[in-house]
Amino acid sequence: MKFVILYGTESGNAETVADDLVDELGTDNEVESVDMTDASAETLSPDALLLVVCSTHGDGGLPASAVPFAELLDTERPDLTGIRYAMFGLGDSSYETYSRGSERIDERLSALGATRVGEYGRHDASDGSLPNDAALEWARNLVGSLDEAQAVAR
């Protein structure tokens, strides 16, 4: 399977999560990690499952590296029909806007025709766990459910 891990970060947490996902998925799959700052419409391909890892900044805003990607989606409005993606948001539930940064990217992708698959993964900084551990468990469950779906389809 081919994955593109697209991350948006302010302090680097989403990037370290993306790095761990590359290590986890890279042994059996083709995996590319892309900072949202460097993403283009061509980054989004129906040939790969997009794993989006995005933090939240301030009062529910996008992290700095996600802003150019959001602006690209808003201005170019690419047709994302056929694009499949999964979301993992980082945030802190002590804020009303918990995980809102990832939700903002999710809304844009969905509005442009992309299809979200699997459970919406989230990490809550208030629970004391590490975001990397939560993301790895989320990714394992996601890939397992996709493998089961492909086995049934055969």
Side-chain angles (χ1 to χ4, degrees):
M1 185 173 266
K2 183 175 179 182
F3 296 96
V4 172
I5 300 170
L6 189 61
Y7 64 91
T9 191
E10 184 73 29
S11 63
N13 287 339
E15 183 176 5
T16 63
V17 167
D19 290 344
D20 281 1
L21 291 173
V22 168
D23 292 343
E24 174 77 12
L25 299 171
T27 55
D28 298 325
N29 303 285
E30 183 180 341
V31 183
E32 177 184 9
S33 179
V34 179
D35 186 326
M36 286 186 188
T37 298
D38 301 324
S40 67
E42 290 74 32
T43 303
L44 310 173
S45 166
D47 297 334
L49 177 61
L50 189 65
L51 302 182
V52 181
V53 178
C54 187
S55 63
T56 299
H57 181 65
D59 193 21
L62 291 169
S65 79
V67 171
F69 182 67
E71 290 173 352
L72 177 145
L73 295 177
D74 291 346
T75 57
E76 293 187 18
R77 303 204 47 79
D79 178 4
L80 300 182
T81 303
I83 303 294
R84 296 179 317 135
Y85 70 99
M87 291 296 301
F88 189 85
L90 296 108
D92 185 330
S93 66
S94 67
Y95 293 89
E96 277 184 40
T97 55
Y98 169 58
S99 195
R100 185 69 183 121
S102 65
E103 292 171 355
R104 291 174 189 255
I105 295 296
D106 178 60
E107 291 165 359
R108 284 173 168 87
L109 292 172
S110 177
L112 294 170
T115 302
R116 182 161 41 94
V117 299
E119 294 283 326
Y120 198 119
R122 296 182 200 268
H123 175 260
D124 181 0
S126 290
D127 72 10
S129 67
L130 295 173
N132 304 50
D133 293 342
L136 290 174
E137 181 179 341
W138 165 79
R140 289 179 192 124
N141 290 334
L142 174 70
V143 171
S145 68
L146 294 173
D147 288 344
E148 287 177 23
Q150 287 178 347
V152 170
R154 289 182 198 151

